[in-house]
Amino acid sequence: MRLAGWMTTAAVLALPMAANAQATPRPDQLKFRELYKELVEINTTLSVGSCTVAAQAMGARLKAAGYPEADVKVVVEPKHPREGSLVAVLHGTDPKAKPILLLAHIDVVEANRADWTRDPFVLVEENGYFYGRGTSDDKAQAAIWADSLIRLKQEGFKPKRDIKMALTCGEESEGYNGIEDLLKNHRPLVDAEFALNEGADGLLDDQGKEVVLEVQAGEKVYQDFTLTVTNPGGHSSRPHGANAIYQLSAALDRIGAYQFPPRFIDATRGYFTQMQPRVPAPQAAAMKALVANIEDPAALKVVTADPMWNSMLRTTCVATLVSAGHAPNALPQRATANVNCRILPGTPVEEVKAKLSEVAADPAVAFTLAHEAKAASPPPALTPAIMGPINKQAAKLWPGVPIVPILLTGATDGVHTNAAGIPTYGVTGLFGGSDGDGIHGLNERMRVKSLYDGRDFLHGLIKDYAGGK
């Protein structure tokens, strides 16, 4: 799942998008289209689909390209036979060089045929777009990774470091998660110096021109807390001081009024620096002041008026579910609420829990984790070694287009690899419109030109990171 920094920032880049005409595809692009089509048309929804079938199909293509059986594995957890992952490796020539990991998920969000204009599991090319569930999220990048490994093998490319690939299942649903399983039980297959993943795209203007290319360096940690108040209750005709609903409501009001302090990481400092020339003057001045002093109250007021910018700057917590009482004529014996937090990378979950309890200011409100806490996910550093190849490859395809780092306020599988000590960067080179291109919704699409350009961009990027010839 992706939710990039520009998508809901209407004051900045909320622009309708028109497709550019795609030139006649090259022979290698048509061959890639066949791979992409096969992957999109394999239903990988949790309800009725199978990631295992998709993993086997991509694995078969790698083997047909010359990869030995030992370097292509479909990993299936026995209790989850339809949620298999594909891992593969192109071996490097320098055993001392640490590998890179190409990560993508192949499961997709549910899609009801009756609601869609076209069959969501038939790839349709129409008016400069590919339509189908997963055409963008995330089978575009997954197909590019598999295709790149095939191209590298056919080119006879000899990388200095191992190039590993993991196409996994479970990113779009709760429960079993393929990359978590691989990190825990098959770490040597995916261990790497750093990983490339989804999490950032590019933005097109209303003429189909590339405006901004994003690089995601860090994402928030998702955590739900359960707040509970209990008391003996009683007959509603005899109300008394203690009322679970009132107590919980008062605590939620205090939590709702609280804002966690703003904090920069490399990605957000870079974002608010580089976006200054691209926003209206009042926001630009506020961004400049904020970069100089993150506690500047006037600058904070202007910038955090935008919900997305506010979310990029601080941990956010919001009540999302409430339940209380057991009968209309009885005092409530129990009241509960779910508070959903999106926590800045590097902030411990227990620290957030303690702050919420402090803000609630009522010992009668019990705070518990609604699910197992995710490990702290430190943001990866935007070093010259990472940014240099991105700048180089982007300049070939999109000269003059600025590259802007972002903090992802949604979630991807990068939260797991970052937490496991594998710095993970969201970089795709896939440009789309500000409406999200139907990701998770109806009629998901990918601009044809964007897919082919992104494929060339990522292939060059892999070679630059891997070294060799």
Side-chain angles (χ1 to χ4, degrees), residues 77-107:
E77 207 283 327
K79 293 181 180 179
H80 300 273
R82 294 188 294 112
E83 298 170 67
S85 299
L86 174 66
V87 290
V89 60
L90 178 62
H91 290 289
T93 59
D94 183 355
K96 295 181 180 179
K98 294 183 178 180
I100 63 172
L101 174 65
L102 312 177
L103 176 63
H105 68 87
I106 52 176
D107 60 313

Side-chain angles (χ1 to χ4, degrees), residues 61-138:
R61 284 181 173 271
L62 292 174
K63 293 174 187 176
Y67 282 84
E69 291 274 348
D71 293 341
V72 181
K73 301 180 186 295
V74 176
V75 179
V76 181
E77 207 283 327
K79 293 181 180 179
H80 300 273
R82 294 188 294 112
E83 298 170 67
S85 299
L86 174 66
V87 290
V89 60
L90 178 62
H91 290 289
T93 59
D94 183 355
K96 295 181 180 179
K98 294 183 178 180
I100 63 172
L101 174 65
L102 312 177
L103 176 63
H105 68 87
I106 52 176
D107 60 313
V108 296
V109 170
E110 302 292 333
N112 183 0
R113 174 64 185 94
D115 297 333
W116 282 56
T117 303
R118 309 159 192 82
D119 189 326
F121 296 104
V122 174
L123 185 71
V124 174
E125 184 175 347
E126 186 177 297
N127 297 325
Y129 292 96
F130 290 119
Y131 287 89
R133 176 58 88 217
T135 49
S136 179
D137 186 18
D138 184 31

Side-chain angles (χ1 to χ4, degrees), residues 35-295:
L35 183 155
Y36 179 60
K37 174 180 171 65
E38 181 180 23
L39 185 57
V40 169
E41 293 188 349
I42 297 173
N43 187 323
T44 54
T45 59
L46 181 63
S47 60
V48 298
S50 175
C51 289
T52 302
V53 171
Q56 291 168 339
M58 295 300 102
R61 284 181 173 271
L62 292 174
K63 293 174 187 176
Y67 282 84
E69 291 274 348
D71 293 341
V72 181
K73 301 180 186 295
V74 176
V75 179
V76 181
E77 207 283 327
K79 293 181 180 179
H80 300 273
R82 294 188 294 112
E83 298 170 67
S85 299
L86 174 66
V87 290
V89 60
L90 178 62
H91 290 289
T93 59
D94 183 355
K96 295 181 180 179
K98 294 183 178 180
I100 63 172
L101 174 65
L102 312 177
L103 176 63
H105 68 87
I106 52 176
D107 60 313
V108 296
V109 170
E110 302 292 333
N112 183 0
R113 174 64 185 94
D115 297 333
W116 282 56
T117 303
R118 309 159 192 82
D119 189 326
F121 296 104
V122 174
L123 185 71
V124 174
E125 184 175 347
E126 186 177 297
N127 297 325
Y129 292 96
F130 290 119
Y131 287 89
R133 176 58 88 217
T135 49
S136 179
D137 186 18
D138 184 31
K139 289 182 176 178
Q141 192 161 30
I144 289 170
W145 291 153
D147 170 74
S148 282
L149 285 188
I150 291 169
R151 292 169 72 188
L152 292 171
K153 173 66 77 171
Q154 293 174 339
E155 292 168 6
F157 182 73
K158 302 294 183 183
K160 286 186 177 180
R161 64 168 97 211
D162 287 359
I163 303 171
K164 297 181 178 181
M165 180 185 74
L167 306 184
T168 64
C169 198
E171 196 268 359
E172 298 288 13
S173 59
E174 292 295 325
Y176 175 79
N177 182 280
I179 191 60
E180 281 190 292
D181 181 33
L182 291 170
L183 290 165
K184 181 179 180 181
N185 299 311
H186 309 277
R187 179 69 182 249
L189 294 179
V190 295
D191 202 22
E193 181 177 353
F194 63 93
L196 305 180
N197 186 34
E198 63 167 344
D201 296 304
L203 177 64
L204 298 167
D205 67 14
D206 59 352
Q207 301 302 311
K209 179 177 174 57
E210 294 83 5
V211 177
V212 170
L213 176 64
E214 300 170 335
V215 177
Q216 180 247 324
E219 57 189 81
K220 286 183 148 183
V221 175
Y222 179 109
Q223 183 63 50
D224 290 303
F225 296 95
T226 301
L227 282 59
T228 306
V229 178
T230 58
N231 62 46
H235 200 288
S236 62
S237 68
R238 296 188 296 275
H240 51 78
N243 184 299
I245 293 176
Y246 296 157
Q247 287 179 276
L248 181 62
S249 297
L252 291 175
D253 278 344
R254 288 188 284 269
I255 289 171
Y258 176 75
Q259 287 193 314
F260 284 82
R263 177 166 64 85
F264 279 132
I265 63 172
D266 283 354
T268 50
R269 186 183 296 278
Y271 176 87
F272 287 107
T273 299
Q274 295 187 39
M275 288 302 292
Q276 291 171 31
R278 299 169 183 90
V279 299
Q283 287 90 348
M287 286 181 177
K288 183 176 181 180
L290 200 65
V291 170
N293 176 15
I294 198 169
E295 296 181 356

Side-chain angles (χ1 to χ4, degrees), residues 295-315:
E295 296 181 356
D296 184 313
L300 269 175
K301 184 177 180 180
V302 172
V303 171
T304 59
D306 183 288
M308 179 60 74
W309 290 345
N310 181 64
S311 185
M312 290 173 69
L313 283 171
R314 53 167 49 103
T315 292

